[in-house]
């Protein structure tokens, strides 16, 4: 083995171990709080009529982003609100821009207008329409876009491609991050590895970005061929998480052998559609797979963003309830100084699904708080797990109680698959620390109802 090869292998192992250390020693991005009630557009002037026209054009965008549903635009109450969209504004501002507006044969200088919608007004509209509310804290998704065409297989990180991917995600209120594809990435993951869906390499390369979820997007013109199918269970069986890091390829070794500029490639005609795409959404051990064929690339990118947003909205959106708010009592340990007390109080009171929060007791060990929540307890647990500000002291018992509660409130029994899915989601959101992949031996819940004053749900505040 050459000295270069030995150095690369040792350096790759160091990077992998360092990434794991950083993941343990630093909290994850823990979601990203977005301004989901803001919209921006271009106007011809600063008149009230032009501003009202802009409000009518952008209210629907805000409704989709806040509800998490594109179908919300078709609701009769939303349709009747759009002509009076200006009534939902609480502020606006104008900014200069170099953009222009085309009006017939005329090109007019544009003015950028930012419209700030009232959260209370939008939430009341959604509640009246019995539409969900997806809170502003959204999971951040790392996207690995890899394309195979006549030029070969590569990560497609051209600015225009990333802008196209990001445009629809911004419309849906889903924050994306993209890999740097620098030497650190290339030592762990090649484009060929991503195309073949090398799961271990994807995991290792994604660690440094500390995203809440990972999307692997593979696409190719149908004239080139198809995207290889992925049997995810087989991938996990073939590449266990404890596998050794992938070796550096000959191409990666060459990075250390020469400092010359890469040779120019021959001009290759831009590939034309139709396109076939495959996108895999990974959140811990939770996995969703999608596939489709599209005439135009923007259609593919829009579908990818919509599928991601739909998946997360289904997981985190608050559905209005006819039963009124639920009351829960939490015991939060680890709140042992005034700063932590104020942080915990502000965090819980600021959650969209918390209608009222009351501190019932303060002890040397922590807090006892009473919450009135809109939505079910399972959603609260998922929301707390996403933020990673606090974690349950006994996750297995909490999962067992939540599944028992769901079975009591539904005429359909909770299946083993549903129970395992909830455990996997919580385990994934807690960074694998819950150890709940197997729920077959979850302890039975006895005694007073969890979440009551006599038996509060125990959480630990994370500093």
């Amino acid at each position: 083995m050459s000295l270069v090869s030995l150095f690369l292998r040792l350096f790759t192992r160091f990077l992998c171990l360092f990434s794991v250390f950083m993941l343990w020693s630093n909290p994850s991005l823990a979601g990203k709080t977005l301004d989901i009630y803001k919209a921006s557009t271009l106007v011809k002037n600063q008149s009230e009529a032009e501003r009202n026209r802009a409000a009518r054009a952008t209210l629907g965008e805000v409704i989709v982003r806040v509800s998490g549903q594109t179908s919300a635009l078709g609701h009769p109450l939303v349709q009747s609100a759009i002509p009076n969209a200006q009534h939902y504004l609480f502020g606006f501002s104008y900014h200069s821009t170099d953009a222009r507006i085309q009006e017939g044969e005329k090109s007019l200088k544009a003015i950028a207008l930012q419209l700030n919608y009232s959260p209370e007004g939008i939430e009341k509209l959604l509640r009246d329409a019995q539409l969900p509310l997806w809170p502003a804290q959204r999971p951040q998704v790392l996207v690995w876009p890899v394309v195979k065409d006549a030029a070969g297989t590569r990560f497609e990180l051209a600015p225009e491609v990333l802008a196209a991917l990001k445009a629809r995600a911004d419309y849906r209120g889903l924050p994306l991050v993209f890999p740097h594809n620098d030497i650190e990435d290339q030592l762990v993951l090649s484009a060929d590895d991503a195309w073949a869906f090398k799961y271990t390499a994807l995991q290792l390369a994604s660690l440094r970005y500390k995203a809440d979820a990972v999307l692997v997007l593979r696409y190719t013109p149908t004239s080139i061929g198809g995207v290889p199918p992925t049997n995810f269970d087989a991938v996990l069986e073939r590449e266990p998480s404890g596998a050794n890091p992938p070796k550096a390829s000959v191409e990666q070794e060459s990075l250390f052998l020469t400092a010359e500029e890469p040779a120019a490639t021959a001009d290759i005609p831009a590939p034309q559609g139709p396109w076939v795409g495959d996108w895999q959404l990974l959140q811990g051990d939770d996995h969703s797979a999608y596939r489709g064929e599209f005439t135009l690339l923007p259609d593919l990118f829009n579908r990818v963003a919509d599928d991601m947003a739909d998946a997360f909205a289904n997981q985190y959106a608050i559905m209005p309830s006819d039963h009124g708010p639920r009351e829960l009592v939490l015991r939060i340990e680890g709140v042992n100084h005034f700063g932590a007390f104020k942080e915990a109080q502000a965090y819980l009171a600021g959650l969209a699904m918390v209608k009222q929060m009351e501190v019932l007791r303060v002890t040397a060990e922590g807090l006892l708080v009473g919450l009135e929540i809109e939505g079910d307890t399972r959603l609260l647990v998922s929301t707390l797990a996403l933020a990673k500000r606090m974690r349950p002291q006994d996750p297995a018992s909490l999962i067992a109680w939540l599944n028992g509660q769901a079975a009591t409130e539904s005429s359909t029994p909770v299946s083993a698959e549903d129970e395992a899915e909830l455990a996997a989601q919580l385990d994934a959101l807690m960074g694998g620390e819950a150890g709940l992949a197997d729920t077959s031996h979850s302890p039975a819940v006895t005694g007073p109802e969890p979440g009551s004053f006599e038996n509060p749900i125990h959480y630990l505040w994370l500093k």
Side-chain angles (χ1 to χ4, degrees):
M1 179 185 297
S2 69
L3 289 176
V4 171
S5 298
L6 178 61
F7 170 76
L8 280 170
R9 293 187 65 180
L10 292 174
F11 185 61
T12 301
R13 289 176 181 272
F14 165 75
L15 286 177
C16 295
L17 291 171
F18 180 75
S19 296
V20 172
F21 169 77
M22 291 299 291
L23 184 67
W24 286 345
S25 60
N26 292 288
S28 87
L29 291 177
K32 183 175 182 178
T33 301
L34 305 180
D35 190 347
I36 57 177
Y37 298 94
K38 178 179 69 177
S40 299
T41 189
L42 299 177
V43 292
K44 296 180 291 185
N45 54 61
Q46 298 186 24
S47 68
E48 182 180 2
E50 182 74 351
R51 185 171 64 251
N52 290 346
R53 182 199 61 79
R56 291 192 295 271
T58 57
L59 177 59
E61 170 189 342
V62 173
I63 293 296
V64 169
R65 192 157 50 241
V66 177
S67 69
Q69 294 186 351
T70 55
S71 60
L73 291 176
H75 194 283
L77 286 182
V78 174
Q79 289 287 309
S80 63
I82 288 177
N84 301 301
Q86 68 274 13
H87 296 159
Y88 292 89
L89 292 173
F90 80 89
F92 58 89
S93 59
Y94 294 97
H95 308 277
S96 60
T97 177
D98 294 330
R100 303 189 71 83
I101 296 177
Q102 197 69 28
E103 191 176 72
E105 296 182 355
K106 295 181 179 180
S107 178
L108 306 176
K109 182 173 175 56
I111 303 172
L113 171 62
Q114 178 177 303
L115 298 166
N116 300 312
Y117 286 89
S118 164
E120 294 78 11
I122 298 297
E123 290 172 17
K124 183 180 185 305
L125 174 60
L126 295 180
R127 194 172 288 108
D128 291 344
Q130 289 292 291
L131 290 170
L133 167 66
W134 186 10
Q137 188 173 53
R138 307 286 172 93
Q140 194 160 41
V141 183
L142 170 66
V143 180
W144 293 95
V146 56
V147 62
K148 184 174 184 178
D149 56 21
T153 304
R154 67 185 182 279
F155 290 116
E156 185 54 281
L157 298 172
E160 60 272 17
V161 171
L162 301 190
L165 278 166
K166 194 171 181 295
R168 184 67 177 183
D170 287 345
Y171 176 82
R172 297 297 304 271
L174 190 63
L176 302 183
V177 291
F178 298 97
H180 305 315
N181 197 30
D182 53 13
I183 290 179
E184 185 174 345
D185 281 345
Q186 294 166 19
L187 285 171
V188 182
L189 180 69
S190 68
D192 288 330
D193 290 338
W195 184 259
F197 202 82
K198 296 293 183 65
Y199 182 66
T200 301
L202 285 162
Q203 276 187 316
L204 292 172
S206 301
L207 280 174
R208 65 185 290 206
Y209 298 99
K210 301 184 180 67
D212 299 292
V214 175
L215 180 91
V216 183
L217 168 60
R218 302 176 295 165
Y219 61 100
T220 185
T222 54
S223 59
I224 299 293
V227 179
T230 300
N231 183 334
F232 193 71
D233 292 334
V235 167
L236 291 179
E237 182 178 350
R238 186 170 61 252
E239 298 189 79
S241 58
N244 291 329
K247 298 179 181 179
S249 66
V250 173
E251 178 184 2
Q252 291 162 355
E253 290 187 11
S254 68
L255 292 171
F256 289 83
L257 298 177
T258 178
E260 298 176 359
E261 292 293 327
T265 57
D267 290 336
I268 299 173
Q272 302 296 318
W275 300 80
V276 60
D278 174 285
W279 49 106
Q280 314 272 333
L281 182 60
L282 311 174
Q283 190 179 16
D285 290 333
D286 198 20
H287 168 247
S288 301
Y290 309 86
R291 182 177 285 255
E293 186 173 318
F294 304 86
T295 303
L296 301 174
L297 270 182
D299 295 335
L300 167 61
F301 296 155
N302 288 346
R303 175 65 66 81
V304 170
D306 282 337
D307 284 343
M308 285 193 292
D310 290 344
F312 288 121
N314 288 337
Q315 185 175 348
Y316 295 112
I318 304 166
M319 288 299 299
S321 173
D322 295 331
H323 305 296
R326 296 170 181 259
E327 296 184 358
L328 284 176
V329 178
L330 306 185
R331 179 179 174 183
I332 308 172
E333 298 180 0
V335 182
N336 47 25
H337 58 84
F338 183 72
F341 169 79
K342 297 300 293 183
E343 288 179 8
Q345 185 182 38
Y347 167 65
L348 290 171
L351 293 176
M353 66 182 303
V354 173
K355 301 293 103 179
Q356 185 174 343
M357 193 273 295
E358 180 183 3
V359 177
L360 304 176
R361 183 182 300 164
V362 180
T363 67
E365 291 75 26
L367 304 177
L368 195 68
V369 299
L371 303 178
E372 284 190 6
I373 64 170
E374 186 174 24
D376 60 20
T377 313
R378 176 172 174 156
L379 177 59
L380 176 66
V381 170
S382 295
T383 301
L384 295 178
L386 175 64
K388 297 182 175 69
R389 301 298 304 275
M390 48 197 290
R391 68 181 180 200
Q393 294 278 47
D394 188 355
S397 295
L398 181 57
I399 291 294
W401 171 62
L402 288 174
N403 287 319
Q405 185 184 57
T408 301
E409 296 177 355
S410 172
S411 57
T412 305
V414 178
S415 66
E417 291 78 8
D418 290 339
E419 184 176 350
E421 179 186 358
L422 175 60
Q425 287 177 358
L426 182 57
D427 199 35
L429 289 167
M430 293 176 62
E433 296 177 5
L436 297 172
D438 179 11
T439 60
S440 58
H441 302 293
S442 297
V445 178
T446 59
E449 177 78 0
S452 63
F453 186 84
E454 295 78 13
N455 186 17
I457 301 174
H458 286 221
Y459 268 86
L460 175 66
W461 181 254
L462 303 178
K463 299 178 181 178

